[in-house]
Amino acid sequence: MINRGYYGEFGGAFIPEILFSTIEELVEAFQDARNDPTFWKEYTDIMSTFSCRPTPLTFAENLTKHFGGARIYIKREDLNHTGAHKVNNVMGQGLLVKRMGKSRVIAETGAGQHGVATATMAAKFGFRCTIYMGEVDVARQRPNVFWMERLGAEVIPVRDGTRILKDAINEAFRDWVTNMDDTHYVLGTACGPHPFPEMVSYFQSIIGKEAREQIFEREGKLPARVYACVGGGSNALGIFSGFFDDPVQLIGVEAGGKGLDTSRHAARLALNDSSIGVAHGYRTYFLQDEDGQMKETHSVAAGLDYVGVSPILASLRQKGRVRFEAITDKEVLEAFSLTVKMEGLVPALESAHAFAQAFKELPDISGDDMILINLSGRGDKDIFIVADAFADPKWQGFIQKKAEDYSA
Ligand SMILES: *Cc1c(COP(=O)(O)O)cnc(C)c1O
């Protein structure tokens, strides 16, 4: 099995031998489900009754007028239960856990969004749930920790290393090795060892399937370009996969952070700062130094702040099928404000990266065309960061106090 799961030179399954049988069991359960004609129906049924699928496609009439060119369509993943596309992945994996007859799930989380989604899935399906989170992130993300615990999950602060996401990933693997008989590791994005990149993309492909149908039904043709932000790559692969065989440009947008001329960013594919390596169970482009030590990344959007990237996206870049760009924190906040004021939509700061890149390119796109932007999640969670960024004196004291209350 170890030779499977390669996308060109990327991917693979670099795992301790003790996990081979568990990974094999997962590969089989996934193949079995995919070949079962009733499985996709079971999946879409639960997504339409428990989350909000199919999510609508919104025509951004005011932004279209504002830019005066191509018509802008927005795929509304922000309307999902728990506020983002992450639920598509965790519910799919939850169904596989049931098929494998396991009773416990574990997950790693940085900003806490994937932890909340996993804890929600576990509550719905009646699984025991443990979430690993770096101690630094536990302090930064009080509200998400609160909800995970209310949902019945045990949140374990990880005190190793730099006490952030990558340390939580290591700890989750350690747990899995010890408890694999009854435990499934719910990986949060299209990264990690095979079969996770393929499996997570499979569940997220529901976004692209719906979007292609919806835009074609409305416009009678396909968009010229599709934009999505790229953290690990799951929402991007989800929407892009609907258009792989079409003459449609696909643009993945990474975090340019404080600027591409600084080291404070998370642009792994848009820049030449990264190099190929093996970590976290797979081979891809990582932001690392010459000795293979992972660099620190930065983004105003916590969900894009990761050193690796999906091996499937790395391969699609090499083939020239997907173009990658990076947007700075400052550009993100401008695109965020414009979208909120003109459309009444509050995008997550992650998603606002895709909006910012689309806005930049609109002058080059024919007015007869349309573009499609994936709104991966809603921005309510970003209240403190946005308030801080705009530093409105009227709210500053209040927000600051709330932030302190949360982290107390
Ligand atoms: C987690 C998250 C992302 C980044 O994850 P991908 O796997 O790259 O999609 C993007 N947007 C939102 C709203 C998120 O919560």
Side-chain angles (χ1 to χ4, degrees), residues 84-86 113 189 229-236 303-304 348 350-351 376-377:
H85 67 292
K86 287 191 167 71
Q113 298 299 115
T189 186
C229 65
V230 179
S234 72
N235 87 90
L304 305 188
E350 288 83 356
S351 324
S376 54

Side-chain angles (χ1 to χ4, degrees), residues 82-86 111 113-114 188-191 200 204 229-237 268 302-305 313 347-351 374-379 381-382:
T82 70
H85 67 292
K86 287 191 167 71
Q113 298 299 115
H114 175 58
T189 186
C191 292
V200 174
Q204 294 293 1
C229 65
V230 179
S234 72
N235 87 90
L237 282 162
R268 299 128 312 177
L304 305 188
D305 200 349
L313 284 178
L349 289 173
E350 288 83 356
S351 324
N374 198 33
L375 176 41
S376 54
R378 63 175 190 232
K381 67 182 177 61
D382 297 321

